[in-house]
Amino acid sequence: MSYYQHPSAIVDDGAQIGEGSRVWHFVHVCGGARIGKGVSLGQNVFVGNRVVIGDNCKVQNNVSVYDNVTLEEGVFCGPSMVFTNVYNPRSLIERKDQYRDTLVKKGATLGANCTIVCGVTIGEYAFVGAGAVINKDVPAYALMVGVPARQIGWMSEFGEQLDLPLQGGGEVICPHSDARYVLNGKTLNRLSTQ
């Protein structure tokens, strides 16, 4: 085994877990899950069958990653945050054929106790604040807070808020990484550092 599995964790046959990953106390990984290298699954995490978790993701305690959720490389899922996969669930009506895909792109942060309503895409390096409810797509680098969530700013790849308006134009350098970001309309891009 090229990953660590705590004795209390259950990893079903068929699950793929990459080298150097850590599966902590009371975790359950279903047999169809695909988990990358260097991933940390905190205490009491559940990972469904149709889930992909990229390299170097951190899934903190008490998170359930349900079917049809994809986490790209370097995603952070804060403690007790919530994914869903059915938009209008009812206990008495079977809707397993109506799962909606949720995609969380590279480097995004999902704060503690936030909720991600199924069917959305969260852009690269977006930052969802603690307790926010995401019910629509989130742009790359956007800082989202509230219920329902609204954008209040922009975040660098380093995880620092950038001094830019929500839309229009502008350019700023992250004080921690010296990376340069350019705002064009409602889209923020990091300039190449070649």
Side-chain angles (χ1 to χ4, degrees), residues 15 26 34 52 56 62 70 73 82 117 146 153 161 171 178 184-185:
F26 313 115
R34 294 182 310 181
V52 177
N56 301 308
N62 305 312
T70 298
E73 176 186 1
V82 175
V117 177
Q161 190 167 358
E171 192 171 311
D178 292 329
N184 186 3

Side-chain angles (χ1 to χ4, degrees), residues 104-173:
V104 184
K105 292 192 171 183
K106 179 180 179 179
T109 292
L110 309 177
N113 290 301
C114 73
T115 298
I116 311 301
V117 177
C118 58
V120 301
T121 296
I122 297 173
E124 292 90 349
Y125 299 100
F127 198 103
V128 176
V133 175
I134 300 294
N135 61 359
K136 61 185 177 183
D137 290 351
V138 173
Y141 302 104
L143 172 58
M144 308 292 291
V145 299
V147 179
R150 67 192 188 290
Q151 185 178 357
I152 63 164
W154 301 99
M155 297 291 277
S156 74
E157 292 180 14
F158 192 83
E160 295 291 329
Q161 190 167 358
L162 299 171
D163 186 19
L164 286 168
L166 290 182
Q167 59 183 330
E171 192 171 311
V172 68
I173 295 174

